[in-house]
Amino acid sequence: MAEYSLTIIIPTFNETDNIENIIEAVFGVMENSGINAEILVVDDDSGDGTVEKVKELQINHSGLHLVVRESDHGLSQSVAEGFGRAKADIIQVIDADFSHPVEMIPKFYRAIKDSGYDVVMGSRYAKGGDIKNWPLKRRIISLGATFFGRILFPEITDPVSGFFSLKKSVLKNAVLKPRGYKILMEVLGKGNWSSFKEIPFVFKDREEGESKLKLGTMADYICQCIDIGLYALYHHETNVWKEWKKVFKFGLVGISGIFVNTGILYALTEYAGFYYLFSSFFAIEASIITNFILNDFWTFEGGQKSRMRQKWRRLISFQVVSVIGVIINMAVLFLLTEYFGLWYIFSNIAGIIVAFLWNFFVNRNLTWKLNIQ
Ligand SMILES: Nc1nc2c(ncn2[C@@H]2O[C@H](COP(=O)(O)OP(=O)(O)OP(=O)(O)O)[C@@H](O)[C@H]2O)c(=O)[nH]1
Ligand SMILES: [Mg+2]
C-alpha cells in the first residue's frame, strides 16, 4: 500500500505571508477528516524566505515535502514536477494564497476515492460557484479563456481552474507540455480519463502577497489550446478526439443533407411539377429532418443522456438552430459580396463555414448537451 493516500501539491513563488498558514490549515483539515496526506510544496526558488519557512515546518510535519526548482520556472512546470514526485495515487492541486477553500479538499478526495471519478475540478462557473473581488478586466479575460477551453471540453464549465484533483493513473503515458498557468487544460487534453465531476466553489482573491499573473499570457494560452487540439488528432484515447469525431460526423451528415436537398428539389420540380422555390421549401425541410435523425442516432449517440430528454424537443431545437444557420449563411453571403466586394461564390463558402460552426456549436451545447451534473 502506498505510504500516503493523497498528495497535495502546493506550487509556490514568494509566498512567505501565506505558506505557514496554508500548510497548517491543510494539515488541520486532513487530520479532522482522517486522510493520510502528504503536502508537496513545489517552489520556484523564491528568494523571500518561503523555502526556509517550509524547512522549519518540516521539523513538526513528517508528511511535508519540498522541492525547490532551480530552472525552467513556471506554475505549470512546477505542478507537473509535483505530479512526477507524488507518492499517493490521488493528487490534489491547490494554490498557496487561500483562493481555494482548503476545507473542500476531503470532498474532492471522496469523489475520487469513493465515487471513482478520474478527475474532480473546482469550478467558479458552475451553479453555486463564484469569484470574489475580481476587477471587471480580469473577469473578462478569465471568461475569454474559459470560452476557448469549452470548445475543447464542452461539458466542463471551468477547464482552467487551478483547484483540482485526479487519479495519478490519468497521467500515465500523457505527454504534458507544461507552460503558462493552465495545467488543468493540459491534463484534460492529454490525460487518459473518462469520468469527471465539477464541484462549485467561491474563488477568493489573495489577501497576502503579490499576484504574478501577467496579462500577456493569453497568446500562450491560445497556443496551448491549439496544441491540445492537434495532439488529439494523433492520440485517439483523448477526450478531445471524441469531440473531433463529432465535428467530422456532423460535417458528413451535413454533406448527406445536400444530397437529400438536391434530390427532393429535383424530384418535386421535375416530376411533381412544383414551382422550384416551393419545392426548395420542402427540400430544405426534408434535409433538416434527415440531418436531425442522423445526428441524433450517430453523431451524438447516447442522446438519451441529453438534457433535452424528449426527442421532439431536440428536433425543435435543431430546427430553430438550422433556420438561424440558413439566415447566417445568407447574411454573410450578402455582407461579403455587397460591402467587401468578394465574388459571391467565395462569400457563400465563407457563409457555409460560419453557418456550419454556428450549427455545430449551438447544437452541440444546446440540443445535445449532456446532462452530467
Ligand atoms: N512554483 C511556482 N509557483 C507559482 C508560480 N507562479 C505562481 N505560483 C503559485 O501558484 C499559485 C497561484 O498563483 P497566483 O499568483 O495566486 O495566481 P492567481 O491566483 O491567478 O493570481 P493572484 O491570486 O491574483 O495572484 C500560488 O500558490 C503561487 O504561489 C511559478 O512561477 N512557480
Ligand atoms: Mg491566487
Side-chain angles (χ1 to χ4, degrees):
M1 223 183 76
E3 196 181 342
Y4 298 101
S5 35
L6 176 65
T7 294
I8 300 167
I9 297 174
I10 309 182
T12 56
F13 187 66
N14 292 347
E15 295 285 3
T16 27
D17 297 332
N18 291 309
I19 193 69
E20 178 167 3
N21 292 339
I22 190 89
I23 288 172
E24 296 297 356
V26 171
F27 275 131
V29 171
M30 290 303 102
E31 207 171 311
N32 287 338
S33 51
I35 302 170
N36 177 22
E38 66 160 337
I39 293 181
L40 182 55
V41 174
V42 187
D43 186 87
D44 263 348
D45 208 7
S46 305
D48 73 336
T50 305
V51 172
E52 292 69 21
K53 197 91 214 166
V54 176
K55 286 185 175 156
E56 215 178 287
L57 291 165
Q58 281 181 314
I59 298 168
N60 288 325
H61 295 288
S62 62
L64 177 58
H65 302 109
L66 170 70
V67 185
V68 180
R69 305 177 69 249
E70 309 278 324
S71 60
D72 189 26
H73 290 168
L75 175 54
S76 288
Q77 293 92 313
S78 301
V79 175
E81 176 148 1
F83 289 156
R85 291 171 181 257
K87 295 196 182 78
D89 292 333
I90 301 177
I91 300 172
Q92 169 82 48
V93 181
I94 186 166
D95 284 358
D97 59 0
F98 286 93
S99 290
H100 304 147
V102 288
E103 64 280 6
M104 286 177 73
I105 296 175
K107 208 170 166 183
F108 282 56
Y109 175 75
R110 297 265 132 71
I112 295 186
K113 179 87 182 164
D114 302 341
S115 309
Y117 289 102
D118 293 326
V119 185
V120 180
M121 293 159 274
S123 172
R124 299 162 292 179
Y125 300 113
K127 206 167 157 217
D130 201 359
I131 302 172
K132 286 269 173 293
N133 305 334
W134 259 18
L136 186 66
K137 186 172 162 192
R138 193 138 178 219
R139 275 176 197 266
I140 292 171
I141 290 176
S142 173
L143 269 178
T146 329
F147 170 79
F148 283 108
R150 282 192 204 171
I151 294 179
L152 297 166
F153 312 104
E155 257 76 48
I156 297 174
T157 61
D158 196 357
V160 295
S161 176
F163 188 30
F164 62 95
S165 63
L166 69 156
K167 287 182 186 159
K168 194 155 65 180
S169 57
V170 167
L171 301 166
K172 213 174 134 204
N173 304 327
V175 189
L176 301 187
K177 211 192 268 178
R179 63 180 167 210
Y181 257 56
K182 317 296 184 196
I183 185 71
L184 174 59
M185 284 271 299
E186 203 63 21
V187 170
L188 292 172
K190 299 179 176 173
N192 193 355
W193 54 276
S194 56
S195 61
F196 73 90
K197 183 183 171 71
E198 285 196 303
I199 299 181
F201 80 101
V202 179
F203 183 98
K204 292 195 204 71
D205 213 1
R206 62 166 65 242
E207 284 169 10
E208 303 293 339
E210 263 176 54
S211 173
K212 292 109 208 162
L213 182 74
K214 290 185 193 72
L215 294 183
T217 48
M218 198 67 193
D220 259 358
Y221 172 68
I222 291 172
C223 289
Q224 187 188 8
C225 290
I226 294 171
D227 177 64
I228 289 173
L230 294 177
Y231 182 91
L233 291 179
Y234 40 95
H235 289 86
H236 296 179
E237 73 285 4
T238 57
N239 280 272
V240 176
W241 174 250
K242 291 185 192 142
E243 285 303 312
W244 275 122
K245 273 206 316 212
K246 289 185 182 136
V247 177
F248 293 143
K249 286 179 171 180
F250 197 81
L252 285 181
V253 170
I255 290 170
S256 82
I258 295 177
F259 286 99
V260 172
N261 187 330
T262 311
I264 292 185
L265 175 67
Y266 186 79
L268 289 182
T269 311
E270 299 299 322
Y271 302 119
F274 287 180
Y275 177 55
Y276 76 98
L277 283 181
F278 192 62
S279 310
S280 168
F281 176 80
F282 287 104
I284 288 174
E285 189 51 39
S287 63
I288 287 177
I289 290 172
T290 55
N291 281 2
F292 172 77
I293 293 170
L294 290 174
N295 281 324
D296 205 53
F297 278 108
W298 186 52
T299 314
F300 300 103
E301 48 189 336
Q304 61 277 15
K305 279 191 290 176
S306 160
R307 253 187 219 172
M308 293 194 190
R309 282 164 200 274
Q310 295 113 326
K311 209 182 193 85
W312 64 266
R313 286 190 61 190
R314 295 201 291 278
L315 175 60
I316 290 173
S317 169
F318 185 76
Q319 172 84 46
V320 172
V321 174
S322 302
V323 170
I324 297 174
V326 172
I327 296 171
I328 290 174
N329 188 338
M330 289 170 74
V332 172
L333 166 65
F334 178 77
L335 288 175
L336 290 184
T337 311
E338 297 297 319
Y339 297 101
F340 292 88
L342 216 65
W343 187 34
Y344 72 97
I345 294 293
F346 288 154
S347 310
N348 192 41
I349 291 173
I352 290 173
I353 293 171
V354 176
F356 176 82
L357 293 175
W358 157 268
N359 282 336
F360 179 77
F361 285 110
V362 179
N363 281 312
R364 169 68 183 83
N365 294 310
L366 187 75
T367 315
W368 284 286
K369 174 136 184 95
L370 290 182
N371 194 19
I372 282 181
Q373 273 144 19

